[in-house]
Structure formats: C-alpha cells, structure tokens
Amino acid sequence: MDVYGLLGNPVGHSLSPPMHEAAYDELGLEARYVTFEPDEDDIDDAIRGADALGIAGLNVTIPFKQDALEIVAPEDLATRIGAVNTIDFSGSGPPTGYNTDAVGALRALRDHDVDLEGSRAVVVGAGGAGRAVSFGLADAGATVAIANRTESKAHALADEVSRATGHGLGGMQRLVADADVLVNATSVGMDSAETPVPADALHDELTVLDAVYTPIETRLLRDAAAAGATTIDGAWMLLYQGVEAFEIWTGRDAPVDVMNSALRSRL
Ligand code: ATR
C-alpha cells in the first residue's frame, strides 16, 4: 500500500484526496491519499517523519510551500519560484521537491490548444500563484507582462523572470490589447463578483485562464466569454497540478478524464 498525502493548514476542504484516489481506482493501484494538518512550527518534523515512515509522496499547500523548499532537494523551477508543492520520497537521497503549479497552468493552456512559444502573456498577480505562472510561461517561451496591485512587487518579479516586464493594474487595457494569453493569479473573484480586469479590455483573440475556481465561472471568465475569448476555468489548473504530481510519483500517465470528473463532481 502506497501512502500519498497533502500537508497544509487548513486542508479540510481539499479536493485532492478524491481526485487522486479516483486515479488509483482507475489504474488498480493499491494506494491511499490522506490529508495532514501539522502545526506551523512542525513542518520540518512532518516532512522528515513522512520520509522515515515510507510515505511515497506529499503535496504541500498553504502555509508550508516556502518552508518545504528548505527541507527537500528542490528542482530548478521550484527553486526559482521559491515554493515546493510536491515532494517525491522515492529516491535514495533526500526527497525531491517540485512545483507542479507552474506546469499545471501550462498543461491547462496546452490542453486548450494554446501555443505558448512566442506568445504574449499577461499575468495578473505577483504572489505565490503569480510567481509560479510567470516562471512557467517564460520557460515555455512566452513574453510575460506581470501586472500587480502593488506595482513594486510586479517589477521585482519581472527582474527575476526572463523576457518579463512589471506593471501596475492601471495600464491593463493596453497590456491586454496586445496579448494572446491572460492569467488571473490573484484571489480577486474568489467567492465574489469582482474582476481584476475590466470587461472592455477583453477581446476575441485572447485565451483567459482564471486560477480562481470558486465559483467555477468567475466574473472574469463570464466577461471573457462575452468578448469571444477562449476561457479556461481554475479547475483545469487544479486538475493538472494534481495530474503532474501523480505522474511524478507513479511514473505512469494519469487518467486525466477520471481525475477531472472526480474533481468537477465536487465543485
Ligand atoms: P497566492 O499564493 O494565492 O498567489 P498571495 O501570495 O497572498 O496569494 O498573493 C495574492 C495576490 O493577489 C497578490 O498579487 C495580491 O496583490 P498585492 O501584491 O498587491 O497584495 C493580489 N490581490 C489580492 N487581493 C487583491 C485585490 N483586491 N485587488 C488586486 N489584487 C489583489
């Protein structure tokens, strides 16, 4: 029996257990996915303890993603992002840390036929999600304009990301007019009718990915659909970060449709 899990606090409402267990059932794997909620001071002991107990893999979420980076051997992308959300304990050395949030966003876009090489992307947000998406898009060959409420954070992030520029939220119209891809990596729109991008900035040559998935159809996505844009909801990003983790841990192709159904039936 392989044990996988999620480390976070809180993790009570996580959709990862049903999503991963649906994949184990589909492929006939003897595995379980459980949630762990250590105290903030105990993250180091929790990860080392998981390793000692033979846990096969862990996802890591708020507030532990940055701490985890210091405890495991991180991949280059996770180091640049500054956060680990997936730990693989299968090697003989120290556990390896990955950031599948970045790849999750890229796979969500590619799944909707977006060609990122040479594309122009606008990322709204320069927090944890904004960092992951910006590094991911740049690695995939996009030019990235990062727009953030606190403009200095956008400039600081743009200095770290190749071919990126930093902006405030004021010039959104002009930035989006030239863009192929728009990603909302802020929490704006979560359980609210707000949007980080004015509706009249959206257009029909744009693909819009919203990292927010509650509600599944945010105001931004509604406005984008009305403008004729291609829309990708936040469940796709959630799905593909899990798909990527599953594939790292098991070395097998994930049953994406089964995981998608398990996730969406609970949203
Ligand atoms: P996460 O890890 O989910 O990205 P975070 O690191 O706290 O969370 O970042 C939240 C992001 O949402 C930031 O880019 C934040 O902008 P600031 O850097 O200016 O705080 C953005 N954000 C949150 N509330 C916002 C709002 N009401 N309007 C615009 N941006 C907002």
Side-chain angles (χ1 to χ4, degrees):
M1 166 77 67
D2 289 327
V3 178
Y4 299 93
L6 172 65
L7 275 184
N9 198 339
V11 289
H13 298 291
S14 172
L15 297 168
S16 290
M19 176 170 67
H20 282 276
E21 294 208 331
Y24 307 150
D25 286 349
E26 175 69 14
L27 298 186
L29 302 179
E30 269 203 55
R32 282 284 167 272
Y33 187 106
V34 291
T35 56
F36 300 103
E37 219 171 72
D39 287 339
E40 293 212 19
D41 293 345
D42 292 337
I43 182 61
D44 198 290
D45 287 347
I47 292 174
R48 291 184 208 287
D51 196 9
L53 288 171
I55 285 179
L58 288 175
N59 283 133
V60 183
T61 189
I62 292 166
F64 300 128
K65 288 186 190 187
Q66 285 78 23
D67 300 317
L69 187 72
E70 309 300 326
I71 303 165
V72 301
E75 283 247 305
D76 168 65
L77 179 60
T79 302
R80 284 184 288 144
I81 293 169
V84 159
N85 82 327
T86 300
I87 304 174
D88 180 24
F89 294 98
S90 64
S92 51
T96 313
Y98 299 86
N99 190 307
T100 69
D101 290 330
V103 182
L106 300 184
R107 286 183 72 164
L109 288 161
R110 290 193 177 118
D111 192 60
H112 289 77
D113 299 324
V114 178
D115 182 8
L116 292 167
E117 178 66 47
S119 69
R120 289 161 299 180
V122 175
V123 176
V124 191
R131 287 187 70 85
V133 171
S134 296
F135 279 106
L137 286 171
D139 281 9
T143 302
V144 187
I146 303 162
N148 196 50
R149 176 177 62 180
T150 309
E151 189 172 343
S152 57
K153 276 174 65 182
H155 288 295
L157 177 55
D159 286 345
E160 296 180 57
V161 175
S162 336
R163 294 183 308 280
T165 51
H167 311 265
L169 296 181
M172 195 62 81
Q173 239 91 3
R174 187 179 42 78
L175 284 181
V176 175
D178 289 336
D180 308 298
V181 174
L182 169 69
V183 181
N184 174 34
T186 73
S187 50
V188 179
M190 191 183 294
D191 301 319
S192 87
E194 289 169 46
T195 176
V197 182
D200 59 5
L202 304 167
H203 55 81
D204 64 2
E205 284 171 36
L206 199 59
T207 296
V208 181
L209 167 60
D210 200 336
V212 172
Y213 58 86
T214 54
I216 195 77
E217 191 189 45
T218 56
R219 162 127 175 250
L220 171 62
L221 292 184
R222 237 186 355 266
D223 290 345
T230 300
T231 59
I232 308 175
D233 65 51
W236 289 106
M237 204 169 142
L238 184 62
L239 169 70
Y240 276 112
Q241 64 74 33
V243 162
E244 186 73 14
F246 179 94
E247 293 181 348
I248 288 169
W249 289 331
T250 65
R252 301 185 52 170
D253 286 343
V256 175
D257 292 345
V258 168
M259 293 173 78
N260 193 26
S261 302
L263 184 62
R264 284 181 189 271
S265 67
R266 287 164 179 87
L267 279 170

